[in-house]
Amino acid sequence: MRFANSLTLRSLALTTVWFAIALLVIAIVISALYRNAAERGFRQLLQAEMFNVINSVSIDEQGELKGSPQLGNLNYQQPQTGWYWVVDPLYDKSKKSLQSPSLGAQDLPVTPESEVPYDGNYRRTYIMRDDNNNDLAVIETVVVMDEKDRATRIRVSGNRDAVDNDVRWFSQRLYIALALFGIASILLNGLIILWALRPLDRARVALRHISEEGEGEMRGQFPVEIQPLADEINALLANNRAIVERARMQVGNLAHSLKTPIAVLLNEAQGMAEKEGKLIASQVVMMQAQVQAYLNRARIAAQTESVLTRSEAEPVLERLVRVMRRLNPEKSFVLTCEPGLLLATEQHDLEEVVGNLLENAARFAESEVHVSAQRRADAGVAGEWAEIIVKDDGPGLTPDEIRRAMKRGNRLDESGAGSGLGLSIVDDIVQAYGGRFELTGLERSGLHARVVLPAKSRK
């Protein structure tokens, strides 16, 4: 996946593959061209040797072939080399043929004219093998030697291994040279790509700082191709901050405007008869909690899409657990948190969610409360997620009690203080961030509260 999402790796891989294919094709083409040139030179050499033989042979008065061609290649003097010349008298079958010392006692068969015909110059070239399994190239011609129209067949052969060895020697050095050139080119190309894409890496680092460190803008110098994008992102971040601040201000104004009327209602309720006053006071408290819940939801909606929304899970959870230990010294609180876990939530909202769950757990636990937080994939949902679990060893709840507890304003325990909105507030906050909240646990086996919130990566 990293390869598919990295411009640097893809550019390096594609250019490397292209260089390898291009150099391989170049090597094959050059090797083929060199072989063609070597074979053409080989044929020209044989033709020159044939003319040398023609000029060195004659017919004496008795009709015998005479002459001792002095060819430059010493292989014509050494036996079984595949380098031969033969002059056959066509005018008289009884006369002896002339041949090179390299041919020795063996014979050089003649390929039938029906298989390889002569060309317009009365020459032909063909391939054959001698008795020593040498692969030969033979050039043959028929020449009229004198005014009596006495003709001879002249054949000159060369060992094709000479061409093959020459081409092999050239190809090996060619491949080595191209391989070294290719490696040097790939390294140089890699350096060029890394240097050319370095501004994109700086942009990636700047965006990561925005996401992880809460930076207010993309900082740094970028090329003209990237600078407009950085400017647009900075403008978008500035506009986002302005929207969030405006939403916070409006939420604060609304909270301030409702604070006084609610306080007046509570004060008046205290002066009324006990039954009516208690009823009004409880309703005002519930109204106050509901107003606060909707204000929180409005605030979260203004912040959720911000790339600056982030909170470190471990210090927040440690602080909440520390407070609960002081408030409930008779109970044990155990915290397990993945190091470096970063959540895409406001710290205040994380404290509100976990604080409510810890208060409920501490109230009903017999002796111990466990809190755990770790990164975990949410089945069927894309993105990064974190799971926070608060579980106690209390009496637990039945499925029906769990459904009632999740309803806004319902209280299963009427003996203590509270408005019955804690779990509803938790559910509202979690849903506002696109997460999930659920309660599980059978009766007398403790209650497990599971919260799934969006997480952020540090990579």
Side-chain angles (χ1 to χ4, degrees):
M1 291 297 295
R2 181 174 175 80
F3 169 78
N5 294 327
S6 172
L7 286 176
T8 302
L9 291 179
R10 280 191 289 179
S11 298
L12 289 174
L14 291 175
T15 52
T16 300
V17 171
W18 160 247
F19 264 106
I21 294 175
L23 290 177
L24 180 61
V25 172
I26 290 173
I28 293 174
V29 170
I30 293 178
S31 182
L33 292 175
Y34 184 81
R35 173 173 286 278
N36 290 337
E39 290 181 347
R40 185 168 59 252
F42 182 70
R43 289 192 299 270
Q44 290 174 350
L45 173 63
L46 292 181
Q47 185 173 333
E49 302 286 23
M50 182 185 68
F51 289 142
N52 195 346
V53 172
I54 293 173
N55 293 329
S56 302
V57 175
S58 61
I59 302 175
D60 63 11
E61 294 179 356
Q62 289 75 32
E64 298 290 343
L65 292 172
K66 299 295 181 181
S68 180
Q70 300 297 319
L71 305 184
N73 193 339
L74 294 179
N75 288 318
Y76 289 107
Q77 307 297 324
Q78 299 173 359
Q80 303 177 356
T81 59
W83 294 84
Y84 314 124
W85 58 264
V86 180
V87 181
D88 296 318
L90 300 180
Y91 56 88
D92 189 347
K93 300 294 184 181
S94 63
K95 303 299 181 181
K96 290 180 61 177
S97 298
L98 283 180
Q99 62 184 35
S100 63
S102 59
L103 191 57
Q106 65 178 325
D107 185 29
L108 190 64
V110 178
T111 299
E113 187 177 349
S114 58
E115 294 182 11
V116 182
Y118 289 99
D119 61 14
N121 295 320
Y122 224 82
R123 297 174 193 162
R124 61 176 183 160
T125 303
Y126 49 87
I127 306 297
M128 63 173 295
R129 284 190 176 275
D130 64 4
D131 296 339
N132 299 309
N133 206 31
N134 291 316
D135 189 18
L136 308 181
V138 181
I139 184 169
E140 177 184 317
T141 188
V142 174
V143 177
V144 176
M145 302 298 294
D146 56 18
E147 64 278 359
K148 297 180 181 180
D149 292 333
R150 288 182 289 189
T152 58
R153 178 174 57 225
I154 299 175
R155 289 174 290 161
V156 177
S157 70
N159 196 330
R160 288 172 55 84
D161 286 345
V163 176
D164 293 337
N165 292 336
D166 187 29
V167 172
R168 188 179 303 112
W169 179 89
F170 176 81
S171 297
Q172 288 176 349
R173 282 151 182 78
L174 173 66
Y175 294 150
I176 292 173
L178 288 179
L180 294 176
F181 172 76
I183 293 173
S185 298
I186 289 172
L187 292 177
L188 180 60
N189 183 70
L191 293 176
I192 293 174
I193 290 176
L194 292 175
W195 178 79
L197 296 180
R198 191 175 178 184
L200 289 180
D201 189 63
R202 292 205 304 269
R204 178 184 62 82
V205 172
L207 288 174
R208 186 187 64 190
H209 285 166
I210 291 174
S211 178
E212 295 182 2
E213 308 298 333
E215 296 283 351
E217 61 181 12
M218 287 184 66
R219 295 173 180 165
Q221 295 294 325
F222 301 103
V224 293
E225 294 85 359
I226 301 177
Q227 190 61 51
L229 176 63
D231 294 340
E232 290 296 326
I233 291 177
N234 288 336
L236 179 63
L237 291 174
N239 185 59
N240 182 271
R241 286 194 299 271
I243 292 175
V244 171
E245 290 301 323
R246 191 159 52 247
R248 285 176 175 171
M249 182 179 64
Q250 292 173 353
V251 167
N253 292 339
L254 180 58
H256 182 75
S257 63
L258 292 175
K259 182 178 179 180
T260 300
I262 290 176
V264 171
L265 289 174
L266 283 174
N267 186 57
E268 290 298 324
Q270 292 174 357
M272 298 176 64
E274 182 177 354
K275 182 178 179 181
E276 291 80 1
K278 185 177 180 180
L279 175 62
I280 293 175
S282 65
Q283 295 301 312
V284 171
V285 169
M286 186 179 299
M287 180 177 65
Q288 186 179 38
Q290 289 179 340
V291 168
Q292 187 61 45
Y294 281 105
L295 290 176
N296 286 341
R297 181 179 295 181
R299 176 177 53 80
I300 293 172
Q303 298 169 355
T304 302
E305 300 301 324
S306 173
V307 295
L308 303 178
T309 304
R310 55 189 294 278
S311 58
E312 297 276 356
E314 192 169 16
V316 173
L317 298 181
E318 286 179 348
R319 184 168 59 256
L320 291 173
V321 168
R322 198 162 49 244
V323 171
M324 297 307 297
R325 285 171 180 161
R326 286 200 299 265
L327 296 177
N328 303 273
E330 75 285 358
K331 297 178 182 179
S332 172
F333 291 83
V334 180
L335 171 63
T336 304
C337 182
E338 178 181 323
L341 180 59
L342 191 65
L343 301 181
T345 65
E346 284 287 335
Q347 180 176 317
H348 172 79
D349 298 322
L350 181 60
E351 292 174 347
E352 184 81 12
V353 168
V354 180
N356 273 300
L357 296 179
L358 281 174
E359 287 181 4
N360 284 338
R363 184 182 306 150
F364 296 105
E366 293 185 2
S367 61
E368 194 171 65
V369 176
H370 285 264
V371 182
S372 65
Q374 59 186 338
R375 191 180 302 274
R376 180 164 297 177
D378 196 18
V381 181
E384 298 184 69
W385 299 89
E387 177 187 69
I388 300 175
I389 295 178
V390 178
K391 58 182 179 179
D392 60 67
D393 59 353
L397 297 175
T398 65
D400 182 62
E401 288 174 333
I402 290 176
R403 285 192 295 272
R404 288 167 52 200
M406 294 294 291
K407 290 184 179 179
R408 183 177 298 276
N410 277 1
R411 295 179 59 196
L412 300 181
D413 181 12
E414 298 288 345
S415 60
S419 62
L421 296 173
L423 296 181
S424 295
I425 292 174
V426 170
D427 192 41
D428 285 343
I429 293 175
V430 171
Q431 288 191 26
Y433 282 105
R436 291 190 294 114
F437 170 52
E438 58 187 29
L439 296 176
T440 58
L442 298 177
E443 191 175 8
R444 294 183 298 278
S445 67
L447 187 66
H448 293 194
R450 177 176 179 267
V451 171
V452 177
L453 289 171
K456 284 193 174 185
S457 174
R458 292 183 178 275
K459 295 180 180 180

